[in-house]
């Protein structure tokens, strides 16, 4: 780690109380070294505080992300369950739709069959009515002819006398 004052931790550790030639340092030199050491200590303490602050922020962010991940997992499970339910309902609706289409087809076939039977019955009744009308027409013709014969033959006076 490098401090902002321009020396490293190794530089600080190499400081000694003796000069290179073996003589002891003067008080002023020791005071300078002491100030440098105190400055290095403050710098290290500031860096440590920054690191601790950053660590705290990262821990909070991690906690938030874990919480969000948990919430997303819960939502995912709910959505999967909803999807499963909707898929099941969709399959049920498809089956119901197929069943209803089959029923509709059967009912249309029945309607067509009934329509055919009604047409058949209508034709049969028409034929019967025409036959009846023909028979009625023939009876009316026979009745007219018998009536005219009856009038002409004198039977009418005999019946009139008998009624009176």
């Amino acid at each position: 780690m490098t401090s902002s004052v321009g020396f490293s931790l190794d530089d600080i550790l190499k400081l000694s109380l003796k000069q290179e030639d073996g003589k002891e340092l003067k008080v002023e030199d020791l005071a300078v070294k002491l100030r440098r050491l105190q400055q290095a200590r403050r710098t290290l303490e500031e860096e440590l505080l920054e690191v601790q602050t950053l660590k705290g922020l990262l821990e909070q962010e991690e906690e938030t992300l874990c919480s969000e991940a948990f919430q997303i997992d819960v939502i995912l499970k709910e959505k999967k369950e909803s999807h499963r339910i909707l898929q099941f309902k969709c399959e049920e609706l498809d089956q119901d739709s197929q069943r209803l289409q089959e029923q509709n087809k059967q009912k249309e076939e029945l309607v067509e069959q009934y329509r055919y039977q009604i047409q058949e019955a209508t034709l049969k009744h028409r034929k019967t009515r025409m036959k009846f009308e023909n028979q009625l027409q023939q009876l009316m013709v026979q009745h007219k002819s018998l009536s005219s014969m009856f009038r002409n033959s004198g039977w009418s006076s005999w019946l009139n006398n008998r009624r009176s």
Side-chain angles (χ1 to χ4, degrees):
M1 230 189 262
T2 314
S3 70
S4 58
V5 288
F7 55 89
S8 69
L9 187 58
D10 292 335
D11 293 338
I12 295 170
L13 294 176
K14 288 180 184 176
L15 289 177
S16 66
L17 297 176
K18 293 188 178 189
Q19 288 183 347
E20 291 179 10
D21 57 2
K23 295 182 186 175
E24 288 200 15
L25 295 174
K26 294 183 184 176
V27 174
E28 295 92 29
D29 291 336
L30 289 175
V32 169
K33 284 189 177 190
L34 180 62
R35 280 193 294 272
R36 281 186 188 171
L37 288 173
Q38 288 173 341
Q39 179 62 34
R41 180 177 168 223
R42 281 193 295 271
T43 304
L44 289 174
E45 286 174 348
E46 288 173 2
E47 287 179 3
L48 179 62
L49 184 62
E50 285 178 27
V51 168
Q52 288 174 339
T53 304
L54 184 59
K55 178 185 173 191
L57 290 173
L58 290 174
E59 287 174 347
Q60 286 178 345
E61 187 175 343
E62 178 187 21
E63 188 177 312
T64 302
L65 290 174
C66 287
S67 175
E68 287 177 7
F70 178 76
Q71 290 173 351
I72 288 172
D73 282 344
V74 168
I75 291 170
L76 177 65
K77 287 177 184 176
E78 289 172 354
K79 295 217 182 255
K80 282 183 178 180
E81 181 64 18
S82 295
H83 178 263
R84 188 187 64 76
I85 290 170
L86 287 173
Q87 194 170 20
F88 179 73
K89 285 184 179 182
C90 186
E91 289 170 0
E92 278 185 335
L93 288 174
D94 283 344
Q95 290 172 357
D96 288 346
S97 174
Q98 289 175 355
R99 182 180 49 79
L100 290 174
Q101 285 176 348
E102 185 62 34
Q103 286 178 350
N104 191 23
K105 184 179 176 185
Q106 290 173 352
K107 288 179 182 180
E108 285 176 356
E109 290 172 356
L110 270 176
V111 165
E112 192 61 35
Q113 182 181 357
Y114 291 152
R115 186 177 293 130
Y116 177 73
Q117 289 175 350
I118 289 170
Q119 286 176 348
E120 239 179 36
T122 303
L123 286 174
K124 187 176 179 183
H125 286 124
R126 187 176 295 152
K127 285 181 181 178
T128 305
R129 188 181 76 237
M130 289 179 77
K131 186 177 178 184
F132 174 75
E133 286 176 355
N134 285 337
Q135 288 176 348
L136 182 60
Q137 189 70 19
Q138 288 174 358
L139 281 174
M140 286 173 60
V141 168
Q142 285 177 359
H143 178 70
K144 278 185 181 180
S145 113
L146 283 174
S147 176
S148 67
M149 226 170 59
F150 180 69
R151 280 189 212 143
N152 291 340
S153 69
W155 277 96
S156 63
S157 56
W158 180 75
L159 274 175
N160 284 336
N161 287 336
R162 201 159 179 233
R163 281 188 194 166
S164 7

